[in-house]
Amino acid sequence: FRESLDLDSTSPKNFGRAGDFFRFMENLGEAERCYARGFRLDRTNANLAKELAGIYRRTERERDALAVLDMALREGSDDPDLAWSAALAAHRLDQHQATLTYLDEYEQHVPDQPWVNYYRASALLSLDRPAEALVATELEATNNPECPFAAAAFRALPSPKR
């Protein structure tokens, strides 16, 4: 793989394949280096962004993971999985407004999915927007009938002061 990278050092796919190999071998440092180089060559490559973010998460660098996902989205990648991953990363980092932004982006591509409005309601409650959180809770109940606990947990919270 190193030799192939020397032969064509401008191919993001070459760096992605090398990163996959090093990740499989559990050489996270080399995997990160390859994914990062490939991602620098093509900021819209969703696969490279996801893999690099995954390495960052495995090495407890959640902010770096979110930065990579955000950069890919801002550069024009329209893979909904990037927006979903970014929403979850922002949620883990308590970046509630960012969570809402990424969820909106995700829903533009994949509407009415389970769990989206669970995370939306959580972010809205953290932003002290309980009326909007209740709307999201009801949407979650509609979109995720197999898992009523998510909506029931938010409904059980004390009602906002009027």
Side-chain angles (χ1 to χ4, degrees):
F1 280 103
R2 285 189 177 102
E3 189 174 318
S4 72
L5 296 177
D6 290 339
L7 291 173
D8 186 0
S9 62
T10 61
S11 171
K13 289 182 182 181
N14 276 357
F15 284 98
R17 283 190 293 273
D20 292 344
F21 170 77
F22 288 119
R23 181 178 41 82
F24 176 77
M25 299 303 292
E26 288 296 315
N27 186 341
L28 298 184
E30 280 299 305
E32 177 184 336
R33 186 184 73 74
C34 291
Y35 290 139
R37 177 68 177 132
F39 184 64
R40 274 193 303 277
L41 292 169
D42 181 3
R43 299 265 192 220
T44 63
N45 186 309
N47 186 54
L48 288 170
K50 286 187 268 190
E51 293 296 343
L52 183 55
I55 295 290
Y56 287 151
R57 275 193 300 279
R58 284 183 68 184
T59 56
E60 299 180 14
R61 294 181 287 167
E62 192 70 41
R63 289 187 190 286
D64 292 338
L66 179 56
V68 165
L69 297 168
D70 183 76
M71 189 178 303
L73 289 167
R74 288 178 190 271
E75 291 291 327
S77 182
D78 62 356
D79 183 333
D81 289 340
L82 287 179
W84 179 250
S85 294
L88 296 180
H91 178 76
R92 286 188 293 270
L93 291 167
D94 293 326
Q95 295 182 7
H96 309 296
Q97 192 60 52
T99 299
L100 296 174
T101 300
Y102 296 127
L103 290 173
D104 289 344
E105 174 74 20
Y106 178 73
E107 280 200 307
Q108 286 179 6
H109 300 284
V110 190
D112 304 324
Q113 292 299 300
W115 297 106
V116 170
N117 285 294
Y118 168 82
Y119 289 105
R120 184 181 309 284
S122 176
L124 288 165
L125 285 172
S126 295
L127 292 168
D128 198 26
R129 293 162 55 185
E132 293 171 79
L134 188 56
V135 171
T137 297
E138 296 312 316
L139 286 170
E140 182 61 27
T142 300
N143 294 339
N144 197 359
E146 296 83 24
C147 189
F149 175 77
F154 287 125
R155 286 186 191 122
L157 293 171
S159 62
K161 295 177 185 170
R162 294 184 178 25

